[in-house]
Amino acid sequence: MGHILIQNLCKSYKNRRIARRGVHDPYRIGDWMHILDIPRLEFREGEMVCLLGPSGCGKSTLLRIIAGFDPHIDGEVIIDGQLVTSPSADHIFVFQQSGLLPWMTVWQNVELGVRHLNPAKERQERIREYIEMVDLTSFEQHYPYQLSGGMQRRAELARALAASPDVLIMDEPFNGLDFLTHMKIREEIVNMHELFRKTTLLVTHDVDDALLMGDRIVVLSGRPARVIFNRRLEFSRPRDPKKSAALGDIRDELFLMLGVSYAV
């Protein structure tokens, strides 16, 4: 489960700013700002898809539409043959900022995703399994403010996976993490995806993240966002663009698309 089909998708916002941002601002007050224009986009069941594009182009908006949080003007999103019209417990969204409930412990936050499970013994086993999986075994009774940024992100990941969703949607999951924590969380996400093969959509601004993690990379243009690159990566993991000429060529191509002519 987790096949996603997007057809004729359009999204616009009305410009409600009280003043133009300058003489070169293309939008006047009251104009419709076209955000997305995607005729067709399809993701296979079990794929990890990494979305790249300029800042503000509409990547997060696309994720929210797929998750059912954000309405669209035209078109449709179909997951496993069902039209998406609202959020679903089968399609879990991990937001940019921490979504842990601050008045709940790690255990209680993870329990939110499995509170429907009965008997209680099965529910507790599931919670314990996923807390162990993200290496938070001795932090079950800690509150979010007592955790580092990386630990909070791992707790969110445990909560999302414990719910056993068909689709896992992550909006910049490495936002605000230091370099080493970023790499560790990235590795954990890849390992969990290899284990569970859940359809996973992930927005990132890091080309190397996309190359190391993705089964498919999709690049959106500036507004209105259109798909300008959509390629499945048939490379085994672990990957290293510095050791693979083919991956290195894709890396250079992606940077050029994103307006960077020289990447280190």
Side-chain angles (χ1 to χ4, degrees), residues 2-7 9 61-72 74-91 93 167 169 201:
H3 175 266
I4 301 173
L5 177 62
I6 299 167
Q7 298 185 121
L9 186 68
T61 299
L62 177 59
L63 289 193
R64 290 197 301 271
I65 290 173
I66 293 172
F69 288 115
D70 208 346
H72 45 87
D74 200 4
E76 58 188 13
V77 176
I78 300 171
I79 301 181
D80 294 325
Q82 300 294 317
L83 188 67
V84 174
T85 57
S86 61
S88 166
D90 293 324
H91 314 143
F93 198 109
V167 179
I169 303 171
L201 309 182

Side-chain angles (χ1 to χ4, degrees), residues 7 27 37 79 85 109 132 135 137 147 150 176 226 233 261:
Q7 298 185 121
Y27 299 108
D37 183 9
I79 301 181
T85 57
N109 267 284
E132 288 177 0
D135 198 23
T137 302
L147 306 176
R226 297 182 174 91
L233 302 183
S261 56

Side-chain angles (χ1 to χ4, degrees), residues 88-102:
S88 166
D90 293 324
H91 314 143
I92 299 295
F93 198 109
V94 178
F95 293 91
Q96 285 187 34
Q97 305 302 325
S98 176
L100 297 175
L101 299 180

Side-chain angles (χ1 to χ4, degrees), residues 7-257:
Q7 298 185 121
N8 303 316
L9 186 68
C10 294
K11 175 70 177 179
S12 299
Y13 291 110
K14 197 167 187 178
N15 183 6
R16 301 186 184 277
R17 294 198 298 263
I18 60 174
R20 296 182 73 180
R21 291 181 175 173
V23 294
H24 300 296
D25 187 345
Y27 299 108
R28 294 173 297 181
I29 299 169
D31 282 353
W32 284 93
M33 304 169 66
H34 299 295
I35 308 300
L36 294 172
D37 183 9
I38 301 178
R40 182 181 174 87
L41 190 56
E42 187 172 3
F43 305 135
R44 299 180 191 175
E45 179 182 340
E47 278 190 327
M48 179 178 287
V49 181
C50 293
L51 289 168
L52 293 165
S55 181
C57 73
K59 302 182 296 296
S60 297
T61 299
L62 177 59
L63 289 193
R64 290 197 301 271
I65 290 173
I66 293 172
F69 288 115
D70 208 346
H72 45 87
I73 300 298
D74 200 4
E76 58 188 13
V77 176
I78 300 171
I79 301 181
D80 294 325
Q82 300 294 317
L83 188 67
V84 174
T85 57
S86 61
S88 166
D90 293 324
H91 314 143
I92 299 295
F93 198 109
V94 178
F95 293 91
Q96 285 187 34
Q97 305 302 325
S98 176
L100 297 175
L101 299 180
W103 59 88
M104 289 185 171
T105 63
V106 168
W107 181 280
Q108 292 169 331
N109 267 284
V110 176
E111 188 176 23
L112 282 174
V114 294
R115 59 189 182 278
H116 62 286
L117 285 182
N118 284 304
K121 182 180 179 181
E122 180 183 348
R123 182 167 64 250
Q124 291 170 357
E125 288 176 353
R126 176 82 69 88
I127 296 168
R128 189 173 294 109
E129 175 187 359
Y130 283 91
I131 287 177
E132 288 177 0
M133 194 174 294
V134 297
D135 198 23
L136 289 176
T137 302
S138 57
F139 296 91
E140 300 102 322
Q141 302 308 318
H142 283 59
Y143 290 91
Y145 76 90
Q146 297 173 307
L147 306 176
S148 68
M151 294 166 75
Q152 289 182 24
R153 186 56 74 184
R154 296 208 302 271
E156 285 189 90
L157 191 58
R159 182 176 64 184
L161 290 172
S164 191
D166 294 327
V167 179
L168 179 60
I169 303 171
M170 294 187 284
D171 191 2
E172 296 190 46
F174 312 120
N175 187 38
L177 300 181
D178 64 81
F179 181 71
L180 289 177
T181 303
H182 177 146
M183 289 197 297
K184 289 176 182 176
I185 298 295
R186 181 176 68 191
E187 183 179 9
E188 287 177 7
I189 291 173
V190 170
N191 290 340
M192 288 183 185
H193 180 259
E194 291 286 288
L195 179 63
F196 296 109
R197 302 306 299 180
K198 300 290 185 182
T199 301
T200 303
L201 309 182
L202 182 148
V203 162
T204 179
H205 288 286
D206 191 313
V207 169
D208 289 333
D209 282 347
L211 288 169
L212 294 172
M213 299 177 71
D215 298 313
R216 180 182 301 278
I217 295 177
V218 174
V219 180
L220 300 182
S221 67
R223 292 184 302 186
R226 297 182 174 91
V227 176
I228 57 174
F229 182 95
N230 180 6
R231 187 175 303 175
R232 183 167 171 84
L233 302 183
E234 302 291 353
F235 299 93
S236 61
R237 297 186 179 92
R239 301 171 181 165
D240 187 346
K242 295 179 181 178
K243 296 181 180 179
S244 168
L247 266 181
D249 290 342
I250 296 173
R251 184 176 187 267
D252 292 341
E253 184 179 357
L254 291 172
F255 273 114
L256 282 172
M257 281 187 177

